[in-house]
Amino acid sequence: MNELVWIFISALLINNFVLAYFLGLCPFLGVSQRLETAFRLGLATIFVMLITALCAWFLNTYILVHAPYLRLISFIVVIASTVQFIEMVIKKMSPGLFRALGIFLPLITTNCAILGLAIFATNKGYGFIEGMVYALGAGLGFTLALVLMAGIREETELAEVPRLIKGTAMNLIIAGILSMAFMGFAGLFSAA
Amino acid sequence: MPEKKRDTYQEFIKGLWRDNPAFVQVLGMCPMLAVTNSAVNALVMGGATFFVLVASSFFVSSLKNWIPKQVRISTYIIIIATFVTVTDFTLQALMPVVHKELGAFIPLIVANCMILGRQEAFASRNSVRLAVVDALGMASGFLFALFSLGAVRELLGEGALFGFKLFSDDFEPWVIMILPPGGFITLGLLLLLFNWLKERKDRLVAQLDEMEIEAR
C-alpha cells in the first residue's frame, strides 16, 4: 500500500510528466490559454492514460513476451485507436467540447506523455495495479501543470510585457519557473 | 531548369532558418528539452530524428497514392514507429552508453509532433524528391536547434563542451542549467533571441525601402 502511495505522489509531483520529464509539452503550451479548456483536456488525458496503462499491461503480459521488438508499434496502434474512439464519442456527445479542443484531440495520439507513460511503466516493470496508480498520478500531474499554466497565462494576458517576449518565449520561461518550484517536491523523498 | 532548382533549394533552406521547426514553429519540444543537457546527447538525438524524419518522409511520399485518407494518420505513425524501432535497436548495439542515457526518449521520437506534422503537411502532398529535400532541411534545422540548446546548457551547467573542460576551476557551474528548469529557460531565451533577430531584420528592410523611396 505504502509503495502505491509513493508511485502516485512521485508521478504527480516529484517526477511531474510536464515539468520534470518534458512530456506533453505541445498541449501544455498550445491549449493553456483558457482555464476551462485546459481542465477538460486534462480530464481527457487522464482518461486516455488510464486506458493506455490497461492496454500496455495487457500487451506486455500476454503478447509482447513473444515479440518484444513489436513493443513500440503495438503501443502506438492501441493508443491511436483508443484516441480515435474517444474522439468519436466526444464528437457525438459534446460538439462544443469537440470544437474547443480542435486540432489537439487527434494530437493526443502523438502526445508524448501518453506514449511515455506506457514506456516508463514497462521499463519500471509495473504490474496491473501499480500501472493504473502510476497512470492516475501522471494524468493528474499533467492536469495540475496544465491548469496552473492556464491560470498564470490568463493573468499575464492583461499584464504589460515587452512585445518581443510575448508568446511562446514568455510561456517557456514561466514553465521554467514552475519547474523550479516543482523541484522543491524532491525533498519529499528524503523526508519519508 | 533553373526555376525548379531554386524551388528545391528554397524547400531545403526554409527548414534551416525561416521555418526552423524548433525555434520558429516550436514543434517537437518534448524530446528536445529532455535530452539536451549535454552536446553529445543532443547530437545523437538530432541524428536519430534526422534519420527517422528523412526515411519516413520518403516512404510516406512514395506511398501517398495508396494510403486511404481516413486512416492516413495511423499509417504515418506506423511508418514512423518502424523507423524509430530500427534506430532504437541500432543505437543500442552501437552506442550502448549514450543509449542508456537517452533511455526512454529514443522510442519517444515517435511522438515528436514535428515528424508527423511534416508528413501531414508536406510529404503527403508533394513529389518524393521535394519531400526528401524538405525533410533534410527540417531535420538539419532541428539538429542545429538541439545542438545549440545542448551546447549552451552544457557550457553553463558544467563549464564544458563535449566533456572537455573549457573554464578554469574558479568557474562555478550553474547546476540549474542541466536540470529541467534550465531547459525551459534556455529555450525561452533562445526564442527571444530569434524574435529579436527577426524584428531587427524586418526593421532594416523597412528602413532600406524608405531610403529607396526617398532616393527616387
Side-chain angles (χ1 to χ4, degrees):
Chain A
M1 192 62 218
N2 204 6
E3 199 184 324
L4 290 183
V5 174
W6 276 120
I7 290 176
F8 180 75
I9 299 281
S10 150
L12 175 67
L13 296 173
I14 302 164
N15 292 322
N16 186 289
F17 264 41
V18 180
L19 297 170
Y21 284 162
F22 303 107
L23 296 172
L25 282 178
C26 303
F28 180 65
L29 294 171
V31 198
S32 57
Q33 292 102 329
R34 291 273 156 276
L35 209 54
E36 172 81 20
T37 321
F39 186 65
R40 288 194 197 176
L41 180 75
L43 290 187
T45 310
I46 294 178
F47 184 55
V48 179
M49 275 188 169
L50 285 174
I51 293 180
T52 305
L54 183 72
C55 302
W57 170 78
F58 177 80
L59 288 171
N60 276 330
T61 328
Y62 293 107
I63 296 172
L64 296 179
V65 187
H66 311 293
Y69 53 87
L70 281 180
R71 199 178 78 175
L72 196 53
I73 295 182
S74 58
F75 277 175
I76 297 254
V77 171
V78 171
I79 295 166
S81 37
T82 318
V83 173
Q84 203 120 65
F85 173 69
I86 291 181
E87 197 186 336
M88 283 191 285
V89 172
I90 292 183
K91 203 172 184 176
K92 197 93 188 162
M93 309 261 277
S94 156
L97 176 62
F98 186 75
R99 268 196 302 278
L101 296 181
I103 185 169
F104 281 98
L105 253 188
L107 280 184
I108 289 188
T109 326
T110 50
N111 185 337
C112 1
I114 305 279
L115 183 63
L117 176 89
I119 293 172
F120 280 128
T122 310
N123 285 355
K124 289 179 179 169
Y126 284 159
F128 177 65
I129 298 181
E130 285 119 320
M132 292 308 267
V133 171
Y134 187 58
L136 191 65
L140 281 174
F142 179 80
T143 313
L144 178 68
L146 199 65
V147 165
L148 278 177
M149 188 67 184
I152 296 175
R153 277 182 70 174
E154 280 192 353
E155 291 295 319
T156 53
E157 216 158 75
L158 296 173
E160 270 197 40
V161 288
R163 192 166 38 87
L164 264 184
I165 200 176
K166 234 182 181 146
T168 317
M170 185 173 70
N171 295 337
L172 278 169
I173 291 172
I174 294 175
I177 297 169
L178 263 182
S179 164
M180 252 187 250
F182 267 67
M183 272 175 66
F185 288 119
L188 276 178
F189 262 127
S190 48
Chain B
M1 287 186 289
E3 187 68 34
K4 199 88 188 165
K5 206 172 167 204
R6 219 190 71 220
D7 263 11
T8 316
Y9 174 71
Q10 273 176 352
E11 293 302 349
F12 177 71
I13 211 74
K14 74 163 193 252
L16 270 182
W17 191 256
R18 190 167 53 82
D19 286 342
N20 187 299
F23 290 147
V24 180
Q25 307 180 30
V26 206
L27 287 176
M29 281 174 301
C30 324
M32 171 166 158
L33 289 171
V35 298
T36 49
N37 44 16
S38 78
V40 176
N41 287 358
L43 276 187
V44 172
M45 189 66 181
T49 314
F50 191 99
F51 168 71
V52 173
L53 179 57
V54 173
S56 24
S57 271
F58 173 74
F59 259 73
V60 166
S61 176
S62 340
L63 297 174
K64 62 177 178 287
N65 294 331
W66 284 280
I67 299 175
K69 268 273 169 293
Q70 294 85 347
V71 294
R72 62 183 194 286
I73 303 273
S74 329
T75 317
Y76 301 158
I77 292 180
I78 292 175
I79 293 176
I80 297 170
T82 312
F83 286 112
V84 172
T85 309
V86 171
T87 317
D88 192 22
F89 281 103
T90 314
L91 277 180
Q92 200 168 9
L94 295 181
M95 313 168 88
V97 181
V98 181
H99 181 269
K100 204 165 177 204
E101 211 163 308
L102 295 179
F105 287 97
I106 291 285
L108 279 177
I109 295 177
V110 181
N112 189 330
C113 355
M114 189 261 294
I115 298 183
L116 187 69
R118 281 340 279 169
Q119 311 311 323
E120 169 74 2
F122 201 92
S124 59
R125 305 196 181 144
N126 287 287
S127 67
V128 176
R129 204 180 57 122
L130 274 186
V132 170
V133 169
D134 170 77
L136 283 173
M138 284 289 162
S140 321
F142 192 67
L143 185 67
F144 162 67
L146 277 182
F147 177 70
S148 31
L149 207 58
V152 169
R153 285 179 71 185
E154 194 183 352
L155 203 59
L156 294 178
E158 301 198 33
L161 199 59
F162 292 111
F164 296 111
K165 280 255 174 286
L166 292 184
F167 300 128
S168 69
D169 290 339
D170 299 339
F171 178 73
E172 185 67 49
W174 309 2
V175 181
I176 196 84
M177 291 311 267
I178 48 173
L179 293 174
F184 282 115
I185 292 173
T186 315
L187 182 61
L189 293 177
L190 278 175
L191 283 179
L192 191 61
L193 179 73
F194 249 64
N195 284 352
W196 181 68
L197 284 176
K198 192 163 166 286
E199 173 105 355
R200 212 176 56 153
K201 193 182 139 206
D202 287 350
R203 210 180 305 148
L204 222 89
V205 169
Q207 253 175 16
L208 282 178
D209 282 351
E210 239 168 64
M211 275 162 71
E212 209 168 283
I213 292 167
E214 268 173 29
R216 269 183 216 156

